[in-house]
Amino acid sequence: MEILNYINNQWTKPNVNEFFDVINPATGQVITKTPLGTKADVDSAAKAASGALPAWRRTPVNDRVQYLFKLRNLMRENHDEIAKLITEECGKTFEEAKAEMIRAFENIEVACGMPLMGKGEFVEDIASGIDELMIRQPVGVCATIAPFNFPGMIPFWYLPYAVAAGNTYIIKPSEKVPMTMQFIMKLIEQVGFPKGVINLVNGAKEVVDGILEHPAIRAITFVGSTNIAKYIYATAASHGKRVQAQGGAKNPVIILPDADMEMATKIVADSAFGCAGQRCLAVSFAVTVGDAKNHFTELICDAASSRVVGYGLDSGVQMGPLINAASKSRVESLIGLGVKEGASLPVDGRGTSIKGYENGAFVRPTILADVPRGSEIAKTEIFGPVLSLMHVNTVDEAIELVNSGQYGNQASLFTSSGSAARKFRYEAEAGNIGINIGVAAPMAFFPFSGWKDSFFGDMHGQSMDAVEFFTQKKVVIERWPKEWSRKF
Ligand code: NAD
């Protein structure tokens, strides 16, 4: 598949000499090349989106969402095709890729409620004969900068809400996984959105910087690692833009002795090793309390060692590779660091080679046990299939450990005690909480609520937060004296 930009409803070849090799992480083969676009490409897209804005804004909201209904149906019809592309460029299993796209469909479905969600407010007689109203208007041209790990879902945390609210839009996918959005843009083309309403620009840092600086782009959403999220947040804000930036994570789970251990193990293993741990809601460290330690450790080590690893398009495979060889060596060296810092390694996934896929970026599920508190490995986002185990004696200590971390994307608890669950829900410092749940991914009708260094901004993605983010409120106070009216 050739990777092109889609600007003003035209497929254009960026005029560049630099390309990024896109590899199938299971085979190590180069499958396409991402053109590393320039600020000039961003400028063309921003001009197209600005040109489209007046007419799109004036299109009635109930007409705007008809395009989205059509897009959702086309994406559903092409569900398998999209999922296959995700597996090829991103590595996750076909089933995981299909599940990812269901989240994208759900966001389109919720955004189709914009005629209701985008309504304003009206109060009569705030003083005698004076009324006050609030209307929501689009912000203008909006852009999203996306990460590699959910190439089909993450753009849809934003795109449907932005365009349903009357904005025009630019998407920049991760240069590591450009094929999924390339294909989806072909569906967007089939839908027949007016020229310039949705634009695609491929590239890396230069394109991102072009978006951050462009005066016509009014709002930016970003998802990626924390350091880049901070950069995006600060730079976009310094250019006077509305911005939300979701960052990295290091998600804890607490296992209490009264938890259903079989269930907890299965769910924690799915969370830690699903998508090869490359999920911002993957459980990354488990804190056992009291008697939970031995039983949970034994079961989770079994679950880790028995997971079927391979190419995500082959049947029966439960876990695919990491995104690339650099990521494999980074994860393997972090496992080594954990051991150096004093952790034990009951299940070691380093040095994995899968028959038939010897050049793949595979790391098998790994368990680091007795990870010392305060160690680098206890703090660092690994973003791979590695679960660290820690142990404390009380729920209070466990919650204190959870809250001592830098990130706040998700925290989970496994227990059969309602009061422990309530205490945890009340005290845990994370924006997405799981009680007997391993991946607490909010449905599209709730906000995706990272906290601390997992999120920079105030309005989150999805649901009413997305409506708030992609609209600006205008308040009008009106007086119409009777004597001005014509007598009828
Ligand atoms: P990344 O930060 O490397 O890249 C994200 C985007 O930023 C890409 O489009 C990339 O082109 C761009 N980028 C990279 N370096 C840049 C630079 N120096 N200047 C400007 N732009 C730059 O992230 P990734 O590796 O693609 O994704 C994995 C990360 O994303 C993990 O940390 C994960 O936790 C996080 N993530 C967070 C969430 C969430 O909801 N909080 C969701 C998914 C992924």
Side-chain angles (χ1 to χ4, degrees):
M1 176 190 286
E2 190 181 9
I3 305 302
L4 301 171
N5 289 343
Y6 185 72
I7 297 174
N8 217 21
N9 292 17
Q10 297 288 319
W11 292 101
T12 56
K13 212 175 183 145
N15 186 15
V16 296
N17 299 321
E18 270 192 274
F19 292 83
F20 182 91
D21 282 347
V22 177
I23 55 150
N24 177 326
T27 63
Q29 276 167 352
V30 176
I31 47 178
T32 189
K33 287 173 184 294
T34 306
L36 293 180
T38 62
K39 290 184 182 176
D41 299 317
V42 176
D43 189 48
S44 303
K47 283 194 175 119
S50 301
L53 191 61
W56 185 244
R57 181 194 158 179
R58 281 179 170 73
T59 305
V61 62
N62 42 319
D63 291 344
R64 288 198 299 257
V65 300
Q66 298 311 315
Y67 293 90
L68 291 172
F69 281 118
K70 207 166 155 191
L71 177 61
R72 179 267 200 193
N73 292 345
L74 268 178
M75 284 170 67
R76 265 195 175 283
E77 284 163 26
N78 288 275
H79 195 170
D80 283 4
E81 188 73 22
I82 299 171
K84 190 165 165 280
L85 284 172
I86 293 175
T87 300
E88 280 171 3
E89 65 180 355
C90 180
K92 64 180 69 171
T93 67
F94 183 65
E95 289 310 317
E96 288 169 342
K98 283 197 78 168
E100 161 175 352
M101 288 317 297
I102 289 172
R103 293 294 178 140
F105 306 152
E106 287 168 356
N107 272 288
I108 304 177
E109 288 157 10
V110 170
C112 284
M114 195 58 74
L116 182 63
M117 295 190 299
K119 279 204 301 199
E121 296 167 355
F122 195 106
V123 176
E124 281 184 329
D125 288 321
I126 53 155
S128 181
I130 298 179
D131 304 330
E132 181 161 349
L133 60 139
M134 183 277 282
I135 45 184
R136 290 183 182 278
Q137 297 190 334
V139 176
V141 178
C142 303
T144 293
I145 300 155
F148 80 78
N149 64 329
F150 284 93
M153 174 185 76
I154 284 177
F156 286 87
W157 285 352
Y158 309 112
L159 181 156
Y161 302 94
V163 300
N167 303 281
T168 54
Y169 185 78
I170 301 167
I171 171 76
K172 191 216 81 78
S174 163
E175 64 278 17
K176 294 172 190 159
V177 290
M179 298 197 308
T180 305
M181 273 315 289
Q182 187 79 190
F183 182 83
I184 292 174
M185 286 308 289
K186 294 201 172 119
L187 304 181
I188 286 173
E189 182 183 28
Q190 273 185 52
V191 168
F193 282 90
K195 270 187 185 173
V197 170
I198 303 177
N199 305 277
L200 167 76
V201 180
N202 285 288
K205 182 168 172 55
E206 184 174 341
V207 168
V208 172
D209 287 341
I211 290 172
L212 296 174
E213 292 161 13
H214 201 289
I217 298 174
R218 301 307 312 142
I220 295 176
T221 64
F222 169 88
V223 182
S225 53
T226 288
N227 282 345
I228 309 296
K230 282 183 182 165
Y231 168 72
I232 301 285
Y233 187 61
T235 314
S238 76
H239 286 88
K241 298 182 198 312
R242 188 176 282 205
V243 54
Q244 59 167 281
Q246 320 235 17
K250 178 90 184 170
N251 302 310
V253 58
I254 298 175
I255 313 285
L256 295 190
D258 65 358
D260 176 333
M261 284 301 164
E262 268 80 26
M263 179 184 91
T265 308
K266 190 188 167 311
I267 294 174
V268 171
D270 285 346
S271 174
F273 309 133
C275 299
Q278 297 176 124
R279 258 193 305 215
C280 65
L281 294 179
V283 160
S284 174
F285 69 100
V287 183
T288 50
V289 176
D291 293 343
K293 183 178 179 181
N294 293 345
H295 195 188
F296 180 75
T297 304
E298 189 189 321
L299 291 176
I300 198 73
C301 288
D302 285 349
S305 352
S306 59
R307 210 155 187 95
V308 182
V309 180
Y311 185 24
L313 289 181
D314 292 344
S315 69
V317 166
Q318 293 173 306
M319 195 186 100
L322 293 171
I323 186 67
N324 54 31
S327 194
K328 175 178 159 92
S329 73
R330 187 183 53 80
V331 169
E332 289 187 338
S333 72
L334 282 170
I335 296 169
L337 173 71
V339 174
K340 217 154 118 200
E341 287 185 308
S344 62
L345 191 57
V347 185
D348 182 0
R350 293 174 298 178
T352 301
S353 177
I354 302 291
K355 201 163 178 298
Y357 301 102
E358 286 77 6
N359 294 323
F362 294 96
V363 175
R364 281 188 195 279
T366 297
I367 304 285
L368 280 166
D370 299 315
V371 168
R373 194 169 173 174
S375 58
E376 271 312 302
I377 198 69
K379 293 188 261 181
T380 308
E381 178 179 36
I382 301 175
F383 220 55
V386 180
L387 182 68
S388 297
L389 305 184
M390 299 168 96
H391 183 70
V392 296
N393 293 317
T394 65
V395 183
D396 286 307
E397 278 178 88
I399 294 177
E400 196 270 317
L401 180 54
V402 162
N403 290 348
S404 66
Q406 167 194 1
Y407 299 102
N409 220 29
Q410 173 189 278
S412 299
L413 172 79
F414 282 76
T415 184
S416 54
S417 154
S419 69
R422 185 177 188 280
K423 177 182 171 63
F424 179 73
R425 187 182 71 201
Y426 198 87
E427 294 178 11
E429 292 172 5
N432 300 295
I433 298 291
I435 307 283
N436 297 315
I437 297 287
V439 179
M443 296 293 287
F445 33 88
F446 286 94
F448 194 105
S449 297
W451 280 17
K452 294 162 86 176
D453 271 4
S454 297
F455 184 76
F456 304 91
D458 34 31
M459 292 302 154
H460 293 83
Q462 304 194 145
S463 79
M464 282 308 293
D465 268 32
V467 179
E468 286 287 341
F469 186 82
F470 288 115
T471 56
Q472 49 193 346
K473 292 186 278 250
K474 184 179 273 180
V475 173
V476 182
I477 302 180
E478 291 185 349
R479 171 191 280 133
W480 293 101
K482 249 200 283 192
E483 51 276 21
W484 291 0
S485 302
R486 280 173 48 199
K487 304 271 182 302
F488 293 104

